[in-house]
Amino acid sequence: MTPHGSAAVSAAFGVAVYVSAQARPAVDAVLARNPGMAVIQADEPGPDGCRRIIVDADSGPTLSWLVEALRETLGADLLRTEDPVFTVASTGKLGQQLRASTATGRDLALLDADADRRVIRHLVAHPGHVDRFSGRARRVALLSDASAVLDFESLPAEAALPAVESQAAHLHRETGLDVVPIPLSACGPDELAAMIRMMAPGFGASVLVHTHVRHIDAVRATLRAAPAPQPASHPVPHPVLLDAINDGLAVAAAAAALNHLRRRGVDPRHARVAVVDPQRGGDLAGLLLAAGIRDLMLYDPVAYGVTLLHELAGRLDLLVDLIGLAAPPEGPALLRVRPESPPLLPQATDGPRPLHALPGLLRAAVTAHCPINMAARVAAVHAIAAQAPFGALLPRPDHPRLAPAVADAALPALTDTDTDSAT
């Protein structure tokens, strides 16, 4: 191990090195002179008497330097290397589970044409039974048009697949639902909305991730508009649509903002809060108001620059930064909310991620089979804030009680017939 600590290294910049048994001193020598930080996480027997050494680095450049230095120094003693990031990506991260038995001929008959005809005839006569007699209620379409994948520019749809698969794995883990990652090549929000409508019959809900907030807003506006006339005998189901900004990041950010203020002894009803570059946060501003903050300033740094923000800072209790200010003003508490560069999952108790809210709201939406509305989001804000441990702004996104608490809080707002819904 290098003399450095391991706090700054990550498996995202790791490599598994297979070397001959006598090559360990040479590996240590390379690590001792690396220009960044690297830590040996495992040293264990490998196949055919070799050693398998797993090293995590602090960045991509450090990892590249290490691999090249090991190749030059070890020569034939370096048998091979494996990059775990690409190994995991090549698995597809998720797989299908066969729920129906296929062990006998009788089992297979239940999956054959005559059985399907009976169920289909029933569903034509009783369309409200589709979720009861199919897997649709457990199935979620996780969609992206690849317009906002982390800090990349717009990508080809297929290049976004690893990020969409990772989100699908997280959502499946936290909800137990069958989450299907589907990148879409859509020529604009109208076409994306049409695709969502077309897929609605096969899914309990659809979720937009890694999609630009402008596209999300346009898709929701299109879906809210009157749908094309449909034959009364074959109505097209209205999509249950969630997205990672309004039903994820904004909800988590609002919960973190409330806890930020409470930690400093400020009543949210009397707090003065500014949101910098608010259009990046979807309906975060509306959610903050609905959650109880009454004095809210929306600050556009492109239109007004940063000098005025520094002049106003002394009047603020909290600054919610969605753009990533290089030199934020001193004085008010600062909450960084960056859709493009979220905090690492283990460090997300002080920074919001969509996974704080999205799994619980998805559970609620699928259970109620209706879109998430503002009342459900506000209920989720307070549920997340209440789950934060002492000294933290937020709970861990994977805390076992978080998603159930959010779902339980949001569900009454969806099943109340007097509550307005939002697509």
Side-chain angles (χ1 to χ4, degrees), residues 134-175:
S134 76
R136 182 177 71 177
R138 296 187 302 269
R139 195 177 303 121
V140 174
L142 194 67
L143 312 174
S144 173
D145 68 355
S147 58
V149 183
L150 303 175
D151 51 2
F152 293 95
E153 299 294 331
S154 293
L155 296 170
E158 61 271 19
L161 190 52
V164 183
E165 287 178 335
S166 290
Q167 292 299 302
H170 286 303
L171 283 177
H172 171 72
R173 179 189 178 198
E174 300 303 327
T175 65

Side-chain angles (χ1 to χ4, degrees), residues 350-400:
D350 287 320
R353 290 193 64 147
L355 287 168
H356 282 108
L358 192 54
L361 287 176
L362 179 57
R363 283 191 188 186
V366 170
T367 299
H369 199 67
C370 65
I372 297 298
N373 55 35
M374 180 59 81
R377 292 182 184 128
V378 172
V381 168
H382 292 295
I384 295 169
Q387 289 289 318
F390 179 78
L393 298 179
L394 295 161
R396 285 177 59 98
D398 59 352
H399 193 286

Side-chain angles (χ1 to χ4, degrees), residues 189-190 193-194 197 217-227:
D190 288 347
R197 274 205 183 102
D217 291 343
V219 166
R220 287 186 175 277
T222 299
L223 293 177
R224 279 194 297 268

Side-chain angles (χ1 to χ4, degrees), residues 81-423:
T81 62
E82 289 179 354
D83 190 321
V85 164
F86 289 90
T87 301
V88 170
S90 67
T91 68
K93 300 176 184 175
L94 286 175
Q96 285 187 322
Q97 175 186 355
L98 184 63
R99 292 190 173 94
S101 175
T102 58
T104 69
R106 192 171 187 281
D107 292 335
L108 293 175
L110 298 177
L111 304 177
D112 216 335
D114 287 337
D116 292 341
R117 287 190 187 95
R118 289 191 59 210
V119 178
I120 290 170
R121 288 192 186 102
H122 177 85
L123 296 183
V124 170
H126 304 88
H129 291 184
V130 171
D131 287 344
R132 182 179 175 186
F133 297 119
S134 76
R136 182 177 71 177
R138 296 187 302 269
R139 195 177 303 121
V140 174
L142 194 67
L143 312 174
S144 173
D145 68 355
S147 58
V149 183
L150 303 175
D151 51 2
F152 293 95
E153 299 294 331
S154 293
L155 296 170
E158 61 271 19
L161 190 52
V164 183
E165 287 178 335
S166 290
Q167 292 299 302
H170 286 303
L171 283 177
H172 171 72
R173 179 189 178 198
E174 300 303 327
T175 65
L177 297 170
D178 299 330
V179 184
V180 184
I182 308 175
L184 296 172
S185 295
C187 297
D190 288 347
E191 186 173 337
L192 182 56
M195 291 178 174
I196 293 171
R197 274 205 183 102
M198 286 189 291
M199 288 189 291
F203 294 91
S206 297
V207 182
L208 279 170
V209 297
H210 297 303
T211 298
H212 199 285
V213 66
R214 288 197 303 270
H215 294 196
I216 292 171
D217 291 343
V219 166
R220 287 186 175 277
T222 299
L223 293 177
R224 279 194 297 268
Q230 300 292 333
S233 58
H234 298 93
V236 176
H238 192 73
V240 176
L241 178 66
L242 294 85
D243 70 81
I245 300 295
N246 295 290
D247 302 304
L249 190 69
V251 176
L258 292 183
N259 279 344
H260 241 309
L261 295 169
R262 291 165 180 161
R263 177 189 285 185
R264 296 168 69 94
V266 179
D267 186 334
R269 294 171 299 177
H270 305 137
R272 294 160 298 181
V273 178
V275 180
V276 181
D277 208 9
Q279 68 271 17
R280 292 175 179 263
D283 197 21
L284 173 59
L287 190 54
L288 289 170
L289 290 171
I293 293 172
R294 296 289 175 259
D295 189 343
L296 186 66
M297 177 174 67
L298 306 183
Y299 192 89
D300 185 347
V302 176
Y304 301 112
V306 295
T307 301
L308 179 59
L309 182 63
H310 282 257
E311 294 174 356
L312 295 171
R315 308 176 190 176
L316 300 174
D317 297 299
L318 177 65
L319 191 67
V320 182
D321 175 18
L322 287 112
I323 197 172
L325 294 168
E330 297 181 2
L334 178 68
L335 174 62
R336 292 194 182 275
V337 183
R338 293 285 287 149
E340 302 88 349
S341 53
L344 298 175
L345 280 169
Q347 300 167 7
T349 56
D350 287 320
R353 290 193 64 147
L355 287 168
H356 282 108
L358 192 54
L361 287 176
L362 179 57
R363 283 191 188 186
V366 170
T367 299
H369 199 67
C370 65
I372 297 298
N373 55 35
M374 180 59 81
R377 292 182 184 128
V378 172
V381 168
H382 292 295
I384 295 169
Q387 289 289 318
F390 179 78
L393 298 179
L394 295 161
R396 285 177 59 98
D398 59 352
H399 193 286
R401 292 197 300 269
L402 178 58
V406 171
D408 290 345
L411 194 56
L414 301 182
T415 54
D416 183 354
T417 56
D418 293 328
T419 302
D420 293 334
S421 65
T423 301

